[in-house]
Amino acid sequence: MSTTATTISNGGTPDVDLSEHNSWRKTKSRIMISLTGVAALIIAIPLFFVIGTLISKGAGVVFRDFPAFFTKGIPTRSEDFGPGMGPAIIGTLTITGFATLVAVPLGILGAIYLHEYGKGTKLAAVVRFLATVMTGVPSIVMGLFIYVIFTLRYGLSGVGGALALACLMLPVVIRATEEMLKLVPDHLREASYALGTGKARTILTIVLPSALPGIVSGCLLAVARAAGETAPLLFTIGAARESRFNIFSGATTALPAQIFENAKSSYPGARERGWGAALTLLMITFLFTLVARLVTAAYKKRR
Amino acid sequence: MEARLDDSTPVLTGHKARADRSFKWLALGAGLAVLVVLGLIVFTMVRRTGPALDQMGLKFFTEKRWAPPKKIYGALALIWGTVFTATIALVLAVPLSIGIALFVTQVAPRKLKTPIVYLLDLLAVVPSVVFGMWGVLVLAPHIKGLYGWLHRTFDAWPVLGSIFGKPQTRSFLTAGIILAVMVTPIITSLAREVIETTPASEKEAALALGATKWEMIRGSVIPHSKGGLVGAVMLGLGRAMGETIAVALTIGSALGQVTINALAPGNSMPSLITAEWGEADALKKSALITVAVTLFLMTIIVNTAATAVVQRSIKKSRGALV
């Protein structure tokens, strides 16, 4: 096929037979094109298998004696059957929530610096580059980092986990927000300046609101990813079996950590809770993703 | 452009000016947070590698034994495990991802395109621990037959015989398969973006010359997006190397394994850290942090190179358009 490519770029007389009746070329094309379709089919298989397994093994556990699974504590003996995952659900919601409170404002402000103040400067280019680098930091490294600077001093707590998650979310929020700020047309800013509005006020009342749907959907995706992170929590939050609403002191637990523990366990009871926890976590992440999609769709329609 | 915008900002006085300026400093501070966090990661963690490196010296990177009771800490087998599983993942994921990206951008009708993209987005948010649990409790037991067949079939072959050696259900390959599923959405979404930058004129030129659809892809789309595709694959590599939990559950946690037998159990850097952190003494913790720093450096190098490659190819394709 490279012969075709070279002939095209050389612009000379084609040295391959380009007539309509050369069926091998057509057949080959058809085969390769159908293979791309097969690739799309193949990747659907694991998704359906994973979701199918979670529903078949987890739904019974989660919805038996509803809502016991969501409210009851984790049995102190792993071999026991029965609910629940209450403390882990509370842990996931509080830890991810606190991480969001830290990462989202910081990330949005950072993006405002990159696009509204620092645009074109060397410093902004460096920060943008480092944000990309930071996206690639493995989550386990982030967890150990928080262990070294936070957990060693203040002990195991939800905040430690939240800080690790916030570090993972920060670059994602920055990049998503900056992309959205780029889409806000300059004439909106200029119209605001012409009315005598200062730069900060213009950003807060004109630029951010018009980029808001995109920012919200980007942040929701970041939250969905963070809620499923396991590795950073292993070193920072400990392993409690009772509910803890106060994330500032004492060991707690979260859904991903519970799934990890129960997946390693050989007790059927523990595994059952693991499947239930996995289904719950998947529902939480899919919910966030779905809402992000809806926000984007509603915004597109409005335009 | 920036200068023009700044010129048009109104001149404020008094407390308004002060509020305006303090917001600017606030934004700058937030931007610098990235710098501070990355700096702190390097500074605080490198400082803690001391005890382990004093004990082992540079042998830390060439020793394959990891034997805490004897105070021997070698990362070679772990580095191998990380590289090997990530390579397996790419071998499986790259053809798949590029195939899907081509299907979505060049072949599929719009009606089919949207659901596939949705599906990939869903796949991308499935937590790694869920993939790991599925991998160890569902995939591993079911794949036993296939592994046995691979081993028996290729036993006498020169290279494949060593790659498909004595099988075990939790192995480099099992971890590699799970990783492949996890990185495919990432590589695909980048590949899609890159492929979509191919100018319609180039594709039409190929078709006008009588090229079939596949020849058009080989002759116009692939050459145009090659750089970006390489970058996408490298970003996938970075992700695969750093993935922890899914690998920890499926790789089999065997120490000291430096083998090309993909069906043998092994260990990777992140998976060893999660497994051994719990009961670690000070020296072992230092050794584990050294492993983490090594992993950090490896992924940073891969990601930085990937970003540079992608940026360059985007710039090049923009240049072509102008």
Side-chain angles (χ1 to χ4, degrees), chain B residues 167-182:
Chain B
Q168 201 146 331
T169 52
R170 286 192 227 171
S171 63
F172 290 117
L173 184 58
T174 313
I177 293 172
I178 295 291
L179 281 178
V181 176
M182 296 178 64

mmCIF file with all atom_site columns, all heavy atoms in Angstrom, chain B residues 167-182:
data_model
loop_
_atom_site.group_PDB
_atom_site.id
_atom_site.type_symbol
_atom_site.label_atom_id
_atom_site.label_alt_id
_atom_site.label_comp_id
_atom_site.label_asym_id
_atom_site.label_entity_id
_atom_site.label_seq_id
_atom_site.pdbx_PDB_ins_code
_atom_site.Cartn_x
_atom_site.Cartn_y
_atom_site.Cartn_z
_atom_site.occupancy
_atom_site.B_iso_or_equiv
_atom_site.pdbx_formal_charge
_atom_site.auth_seq_id
_atom_site.auth_comp_id
_atom_site.auth_asym_id
_atom_site.auth_atom_id
_atom_site.pdbx_PDB_model_num
ATOM 1   N N   . PRO B 1 167 ? 1.941   -21.839 32.862 1.00 0.00 ? 167 PRO B N   1
ATOM 2   C CA  . PRO B 1 167 ? 0.898   -20.852 33.136 1.00 0.00 ? 167 PRO B CA  1
ATOM 3   C C   . PRO B 1 167 ? 0.422   -20.808 34.581 1.00 0.00 ? 167 PRO B C   1
ATOM 4   O O   . PRO B 1 167 ? 0.427   -21.821 35.273 1.00 0.00 ? 167 PRO B O   1
ATOM 5   C CB  . PRO B 1 167 ? -0.243  -21.313 32.223 1.00 0.00 ? 167 PRO B CB  1
ATOM 6   C CG  . PRO B 1 167 ? -0.051  -22.780 32.081 1.00 0.00 ? 167 PRO B CG  1
ATOM 7   C CD  . PRO B 1 167 ? 1.402   -23.076 32.291 1.00 0.00 ? 167 PRO B CD  1
ATOM 8   N N   . GLN B 1 168 ? 0.009   -19.641 34.992 1.00 0.00 ? 168 GLN B N   1
ATOM 9   C CA  . GLN B 1 168 ? -0.645  -19.437 36.277 1.00 0.00 ? 168 GLN B CA  1
ATOM 10  C C   . GLN B 1 168 ? -1.740  -18.384 36.031 1.00 0.00 ? 168 GLN B C   1
ATOM 11  O O   . GLN B 1 168 ? -1.551  -17.509 35.188 1.00 0.00 ? 168 GLN B O   1
ATOM 12  C CB  . GLN B 1 168 ? 0.373   -18.917 37.290 1.00 0.00 ? 168 GLN B CB  1
ATOM 13  C CG  . GLN B 1 168 ? -0.073  -19.148 38.700 1.00 0.00 ? 168 GLN B CG  1
ATOM 14  C CD  . GLN B 1 168 ? 1.113   -19.433 39.606 1.00 0.00 ? 168 GLN B CD  1
ATOM 15  O OE1 . GLN B 1 168 ? 2.127   -19.963 39.173 1.00 0.00 ? 168 GLN B OE1 1
ATOM 16  N NE2 . GLN B 1 168 ? 0.991   -19.070 40.854 1.00 0.00 ? 168 GLN B NE2 1
ATOM 17  N N   . THR B 1 169 ? -2.874  -18.478 36.732 1.00 0.00 ? 169 THR B N   1
ATOM 18  C CA  . THR B 1 169 ? -3.984  -17.602 36.349 1.00 0.00 ? 169 THR B CA  1
ATOM 19  C C   . THR B 1 169 ? -3.725  -16.140 36.703 1.00 0.00 ? 169 THR B C   1
ATOM 20  O O   . THR B 1 169 ? -4.157  -15.254 35.998 1.00 0.00 ? 169 THR B O   1
ATOM 21  C CB  . THR B 1 169 ? -5.299  -18.044 37.024 1.00 0.00 ? 169 THR B CB  1
ATOM 22  O OG1 . THR B 1 169 ? -5.059  -18.153 38.412 1.00 0.00 ? 169 THR B OG1 1
ATOM 23  C CG2 . THR B 1 169 ? -5.757  -19.370 36.484 1.00 0.00 ? 169 THR B CG2 1
ATOM 24  N N   . ARG B 1 170 ? -3.026  -15.890 37.825 1.00 0.00 ? 170 ARG B N   1
ATOM 25  C CA  . ARG B 1 170 ? -2.661  -14.500 38.115 1.00 0.00 ? 170 ARG B CA  1
ATOM 26  C C   . ARG B 1 170 ? -1.247  -14.304 37.611 1.00 0.00 ? 170 ARG B C   1
ATOM 27  O O   . ARG B 1 170 ? -0.312  -14.894 38.130 1.00 0.00 ? 170 ARG B O   1
ATOM 28  C CB  . ARG B 1 170 ? -2.698  -14.233 39.609 1.00 0.00 ? 170 ARG B CB  1
ATOM 29  C CG  . ARG B 1 170 ? -4.108  -14.141 40.131 1.00 0.00 ? 170 ARG B CG  1
ATOM 30  C CD  . ARG B 1 170 ? -4.079  -13.598 41.519 1.00 0.00 ? 170 ARG B CD  1
ATOM 31  N NE  . ARG B 1 170 ? -4.915  -14.402 42.401 1.00 0.00 ? 170 ARG B NE  1
ATOM 32  C CZ  . ARG B 1 170 ? -4.935  -14.247 43.709 1.00 0.00 ? 170 ARG B CZ  1
ATOM 33  N NH1 . ARG B 1 170 ? -4.160  -13.352 44.279 1.00 0.00 ? 170 ARG B NH1 1
ATOM 34  N NH2 . ARG B 1 170 ? -5.710  -14.988 44.443 1.00 0.00 ? 170 ARG B NH2 1
ATOM 35  N N   . SER B 1 171 ? -1.097  -13.476 36.586 1.00 0.00 ? 171 SER B N   1
ATOM 36  C CA  . SER B 1 171 ? 0.198   -13.394 35.931 1.00 0.00 ? 171 SER B CA  1
ATOM 37  C C   . SER B 1 171 ? 0.384   -12.042 35.271 1.00 0.00 ? 171 SER B C   1
ATOM 38  O O   . SER B 1 171 ? -0.511  -11.196 35.290 1.00 0.00 ? 171 SER B O   1
ATOM 39  C CB  . SER B 1 171 ? 0.299   -14.485 34.864 1.00 0.00 ? 171 SER B CB  1
ATOM 40  O OG  . SER B 1 171 ? -0.677  -14.243 33.879 1.00 0.00 ? 171 SER B OG  1
ATOM 41  N N   . PHE B 1 172 ? 1.570   -11.842 34.688 1.00 0.00 ? 172 PHE B N   1
ATOM 42  C CA  . PHE B 1 172 ? 1.837   -10.618 33.936 1.00 0.00 ? 172 PHE B CA  1
ATOM 43  C C   . PHE B 1 172 ? 0.751   -10.403 32.886 1.00 0.00 ? 172 PHE B C   1
ATOM 44  O O   . PHE B 1 172 ? 0.259   -9.290  32.703 1.00 0.00 ? 172 PHE B O   1
ATOM 45  C CB  . PHE B 1 172 ? 3.196   -10.721 33.229 1.00 0.00 ? 172 PHE B CB  1
ATOM 46  C CG  . PHE B 1 172 ? 4.376   -10.694 34.140 1.00 0.00 ? 172 PHE B CG  1
ATOM 47  C CD1 . PHE B 1 172 ? 5.232   -11.784 34.233 1.00 0.00 ? 172 PHE B CD1 1
ATOM 48  C CD2 . PHE B 1 172 ? 4.660   -9.574  34.906 1.00 0.00 ? 172 PHE B CD2 1
ATOM 49  C CE1 . PHE B 1 172 ? 6.338   -11.757 35.061 1.00 0.00 ? 172 PHE B CE1 1
ATOM 50  C CE2 . PHE B 1 172 ? 5.761   -9.535  35.745 1.00 0.00 ? 172 PHE B CE2 1
ATOM 51  C CZ  . PHE B 1 172 ? 6.608   -10.643 35.822 1.00 0.00 ? 172 PHE B CZ  1
ATOM 52  N N   . LEU B 1 173 ? 0.374   -11.503 32.177 1.00 0.00 ? 173 LEU B N   1
ATOM 53  C CA  . LEU B 1 173 ? -0.603  -11.358 31.092 1.00 0.00 ? 173 LEU B CA  1
ATOM 54  C C   . LEU B 1 173 ? -1.978  -10.957 31.627 1.00 0.00 ? 173 LEU B C   1
ATOM 55  O O   . LEU B 1 173 ? -2.635  -10.089 31.043 1.00 0.00 ? 173 LEU B O   1
ATOM 56  C CB  . LEU B 1 173 ? -0.704  -12.654 30.285 1.00 0.00 ? 173 LEU B CB  1
ATOM 57  C CG  . LEU B 1 173 ? -1.628  -12.599 29.070 1.00 0.00 ? 173 LEU B CG  1
ATOM 58  C CD1 . LEU B 1 173 ? -1.198  -11.516 28.099 1.00 0.00 ? 173 LEU B CD1 1
ATOM 59  C CD2 . LEU B 1 173 ? -1.671  -13.939 28.335 1.00 0.00 ? 173 LEU B CD2 1
ATOM 60  N N   . THR B 1 174 ? -2.402  -11.567 32.752 1.00 0.00 ? 174 THR B N   1
ATOM 61  C CA  . THR B 1 174 ? -3.700  -11.194 33.313 1.00 0.00 ? 174 THR B CA  1
ATOM 62  C C   . THR B 1 174 ? -3.711  -9.703  33.656 1.00 0.00 ? 174 THR B C   1
ATOM 63  O O   . THR B 1 174 ? -4.660  -8.984  33.320 1.00 0.00 ? 174 THR B O   1
ATOM 64  C CB  . THR B 1 174 ? -3.992  -12.028 34.584 1.00 0.00 ? 174 THR B CB  1
ATOM 65  O OG1 . THR B 1 174 ? -3.698  -13.396 34.310 1.00 0.00 ? 174 THR B OG1 1
ATOM 66  C CG2 . THR B 1 174 ? -5.435  -11.894 35.006 1.00 0.00 ? 174 THR B CG2 1
ATOM 67  N N   . ALA B 1 175 ? -2.637  -9.247  34.316 1.00 0.00 ? 175 ALA B N   1
ATOM 68  C CA  . ALA B 1 175 ? -2.548  -7.825  34.644 1.00 0.00 ? 175 ALA B CA  1
ATOM 69  C C   . ALA B 1 175 ? -2.525  -6.990  33.359 1.00 0.00 ? 175 ALA B C   1
ATOM 70  O O   . ALA B 1 175 ? -3.168  -5.940  33.282 1.00 0.00 ? 175 ALA B O   1
ATOM 71  C CB  . ALA B 1 175 ? -1.299  -7.548  35.475 1.00 0.00 ? 175 ALA B CB  1
ATOM 72  N N   . GLY B 1 176 ? -1.788  -7.490  32.343 1.00 0.00 ? 176 GLY B N   1
ATOM 73  C CA  . GLY B 1 176 ? -1.687  -6.755  31.084 1.00 0.00 ? 176 GLY B CA  1
ATOM 74  C C   . GLY B 1 176 ? -3.036  -6.621  30.393 1.00 0.00 ? 176 GLY B C   1
ATOM 75  O O   . GLY B 1 176 ? -3.347  -5.568  29.834 1.00 0.00 ? 176 GLY B O   1
ATOM 76  N N   . ILE B 1 177 ? -3.846  -7.682  30.451 1.00 0.00 ? 177 ILE B N   1
ATOM 77  C CA  . ILE B 1 177 ? -5.171  -7.628  29.813 1.00 0.00 ? 177 ILE B CA  1
ATOM 78  C C   . ILE B 1 177 ? -6.034  -6.570  30.494 1.00 0.00 ? 177 ILE B C   1
ATOM 79  O O   . ILE B 1 177 ? -6.669  -5.735  29.839 1.00 0.00 ? 177 ILE B O   1
ATOM 80  C CB  . ILE B 1 177 ? -5.865  -9.016  29.886 1.00 0.00 ? 177 ILE B CB  1
ATOM 81  C CG1 . ILE B 1 177 ? -5.108  -10.024 29.012 1.00 0.00 ? 177 ILE B CG1 1
ATOM 82  C CG2 . ILE B 1 177 ? -7.315  -8.918  29.439 1.00 0.00 ? 177 ILE B CG2 1
ATOM 83  C CD1 . ILE B 1 177 ? -5.595  -11.449 29.155 1.00 0.00 ? 177 ILE B CD1 1
ATOM 84  N N   . ILE B 1 178 ? -6.045  -6.595  31.842 1.00 0.00 ? 178 ILE B N   1
ATOM 85  C CA  . ILE B 1 178 ? -6.847  -5.608  32.577 1.00 0.00 ? 178 ILE B CA  1
ATOM 86  C C   . ILE B 1 178 ? -6.348  -4.196  32.267 1.00 0.00 ? 178 ILE B C   1
ATOM 87  O O   . ILE B 1 178 ? -7.132  -3.271  32.022 1.00 0.00 ? 178 ILE B O   1
ATOM 88  C CB  . ILE B 1 178 ? -6.766  -5.887  34.103 1.00 0.00 ? 178 ILE B CB  1
ATOM 89  C CG1 . ILE B 1 178 ? -7.408  -7.236  34.434 1.00 0.00 ? 178 ILE B CG1 1
ATOM 90  C CG2 . ILE B 1 178 ? -7.421  -4.781  34.882 1.00 0.00 ? 178 ILE B CG2 1
ATOM 91  C CD1 . ILE B 1 178 ? -8.910  -7.272  34.268 1.00 0.00 ? 178 ILE B CD1 1
ATOM 92  N N   . LEU B 1 179 ? -5.018  -4.010  32.247 1.00 0.00 ? 179 LEU B N   1
ATOM 93  C CA  . LEU B 1 179 ? -4.456  -2.693  31.928 1.00 0.00 ? 179 LEU B CA  1
ATOM 94  C C   . LEU B 1 179 ? -4.870  -2.261  30.530 1.00 0.00 ? 179 LEU B C   1
ATOM 95  O O   . LEU B 1 179 ? -5.169  -1.080  30.300 1.00 0.00 ? 179 LEU B O   1
ATOM 96  C CB  . LEU B 1 179 ? -2.929  -2.735  32.012 1.00 0.00 ? 179 LEU B CB  1
ATOM 97  C CG  . LEU B 1 179 ? -2.312  -2.659  33.391 1.00 0.00 ? 179 LEU B CG  1
ATOM 98  C CD1 . LEU B 1 179 ? -0.797  -2.753  33.297 1.00 0.00 ? 179 LEU B CD1 1
ATOM 99  C CD2 . LEU B 1 179 ? -2.709  -1.365  34.075 1.00 0.00 ? 179 LEU B CD2 1
ATOM 100 N N   . ALA B 1 180 ? -4.883  -3.217  29.586 1.00 0.00 ? 180 ALA B N   1
ATOM 101 C CA  . ALA B 1 180 ? -5.250  -2.878  28.211 1.00 0.00 ? 180 ALA B CA  1
ATOM 102 C C   . ALA B 1 180 ? -6.666  -2.311  28.169 1.00 0.00 ? 180 ALA B C   1
ATOM 103 O O   . ALA B 1 180 ? -6.927  -1.303  27.504 1.00 0.00 ? 180 ALA B O   1
ATOM 104 C CB  . ALA B 1 180 ? -5.143  -4.113  27.319 1.00 0.00 ? 180 ALA B CB  1
ATOM 105 N N   . VAL B 1 181 ? -7.575  -2.953  28.908 1.00 0.00 ? 181 VAL B N   1
ATOM 106 C CA  . VAL B 1 181 ? -8.955  -2.457  28.943 1.00 0.00 ? 181 VAL B CA  1
ATOM 107 C C   . VAL B 1 181 ? -8.986  -1.044  29.521 1.00 0.00 ? 181 VAL B C   1
ATOM 108 O O   . VAL B 1 181 ? -9.747  -0.187  29.081 1.00 0.00 ? 181 VAL B O   1
ATOM 109 C CB  . VAL B 1 181 ? -9.843  -3.397  29.785 1.00 0.00 ? 181 VAL B CB  1
ATOM 110 C CG1 . VAL B 1 181 ? -11.244 -2.833  29.908 1.00 0.00 ? 181 VAL B CG1 1
ATOM 111 C CG2 . VAL B 1 181 ? -9.875  -4.783  29.175 1.00 0.00 ? 181 VAL B CG2 1
ATOM 112 N N   . MET B 1 182 ? -8.100  -0.785  30.516 1.00 0.00 ? 182 MET B N   1
ATOM 113 C CA  . MET B 1 182 ? -8.132  0.519   31.172 1.00 0.00 ? 182 MET B CA  1
ATOM 114 C C   . MET B 1 182 ? -7.504  1.626   30.332 1.00 0.00 ? 182 MET B C   1
ATOM 115 O O   . MET B 1 182 ? -7.939  2.778   30.409 1.00 0.00 ? 182 MET B O   1
ATOM 116 C CB  . MET B 1 182 ? -7.421  0.428   32.522 1.00 0.00 ? 182 MET B CB  1
ATOM 117 C CG  . MET B 1 182 ? -8.138  -0.506  33.474 1.00 0.00 ? 182 MET B CG  1
ATOM 118 S SD  . MET B 1 182 ? -7.289  -0.649  35.028 1.00 0.00 ? 182 MET B SD  1
ATOM 119 C CE  . MET B 1 182 ? -7.426  1.024   35.603 1.00 0.00 ? 182 MET B CE  1
#
